[in-house]
Amino acid sequence: MSLDSYVTLGRSGLRVSPFTLGTMTFGEDHGWGSSPQESANILAAYLDRGGNSIDTANIYTNGHSEKIIGDYFADRSALRDRVVIGTKFFGNLYENDPNGGGAGRKAIVQQLENSLRRLRTDYVDIYWLHNFDPSTPVEETLRALDDLISDGKVRYVGFSDVPAWAAAEAATVARFRGWAPIIALQLEYSLLERTSEGELIPMAQALGMGVMPWGPLKSGFLAGKYSSTTTGPVDTTRTQLVGAPSEADYVVIDALNAVAAEVGASPAAVALAWVQGRPGITSTLVGARRFDQFEANLQALDMTLTEAQRGVLDDVSAPTLNFPADNNRTLAPLIQFGGATVDGRPSTVSPLLQASSARY
């Protein structure tokens, strides 16, 4: 795999790299990010490798992330139409302004205008709803986004961190109204956070949405810095923000480190390769605070895990999902197929069916 092995994002005509460059770390305004020069170096290296998909948000480093990206492409205007720039709305940058954030029309329009100003462009390729706004009618949000597409300021719409039922409702409303569809979801997904497998990822597959996972290294927990035997300080500047791994996390981390040692790669590369190879995943968000971290993460492009290695990681990280996930996975085929093999998946005969040969 390479960054120019482009993939189609959901039910759309948009093609993106298998790794999308996440830029939450662009800018030092929160005390732990990359300098503007380091950020530009990371961006240049990503583009040089054939990457074309860049993700930011209006609230990343209080708008500085968008500005760094905008300044970079302003000096290289011929590149702008060659890349896919996504940014997000929802976050409020203004204290005590009740309409500064969220998913209402007023908020959406002003947030986009400010993002376009910082990005120094007249359109964004993907405009993502960054979080769930339960008090704003979904019709208001979708119609505002459709209008922005009609105005040429937005090309595609995506949802991030929205419950599956709300995303499905929005997708259905958009389809029946003939408004711009939701082509993709962003959601947290890693070896340490797999609960999206219960509702969100199956919903996306069923409704034709691409899936773009964020947090594939779980705030650095899966980057190789941690193990159950590690003592002393860990090289991270975000401990106060994200905490430290739990005892249960270390079971997964130790298994990941063992597989990484077996294949001769970094734990970060193995963790990223595992995410990108999961069902339903389109393009994984990959970020870094330092250039060397970015280069280490790209080693995942050359990573091929065996079925046995994937099986180890799948088993040790298996999530507990909400009802009816286990019911649908185990009971449903038992009572539906009666022992037949369908679509390559065998089933077993229900003991209730075997209890008697009588049929009425």
Side-chain angles (χ1 to χ4, degrees), residues 33-104:
S34 309
S35 69
Q37 185 57 57
E38 186 86 339
S39 301
N41 292 341
I42 291 171
L43 181 52
Y46 175 77
L47 296 172
D48 287 345
R49 292 280 294 267
N52 79 330
S53 179
I54 302 161
D55 180 79
T56 186
N58 68 328
I59 59 170
Y60 288 171
T61 49
N62 296 337
H64 199 185
S65 173
E66 288 184 327
K67 185 178 186 305
I68 290 170
I69 295 167
D71 291 346
Y72 183 90
F73 284 105
D75 293 334
R76 302 163 181 81
S77 57
L79 284 177
R80 169 61 189 97
D81 287 337
R82 309 279 76 79
V83 297
V84 176
I85 296 178
T87 193
K88 307 181 191 72
F89 66 94
F90 184 88
N92 195 335
L93 287 171
Y94 306 100
E95 294 182 16
N96 299 315
D97 179 1
N99 295 304

Side-chain angles (χ1 to χ4, degrees), residues 173-196:
V173 169
R175 182 173 298 181
F176 276 94
R177 294 291 184 91
W179 293 337
I182 302 161
I183 68 162
L185 293 182
Q186 285 195 19
L187 46 83
E188 184 179 5
Y189 191 56
S190 73
L191 282 163
L192 293 176
E193 178 47 78
R194 292 179 56 184
T195 54
S196 292

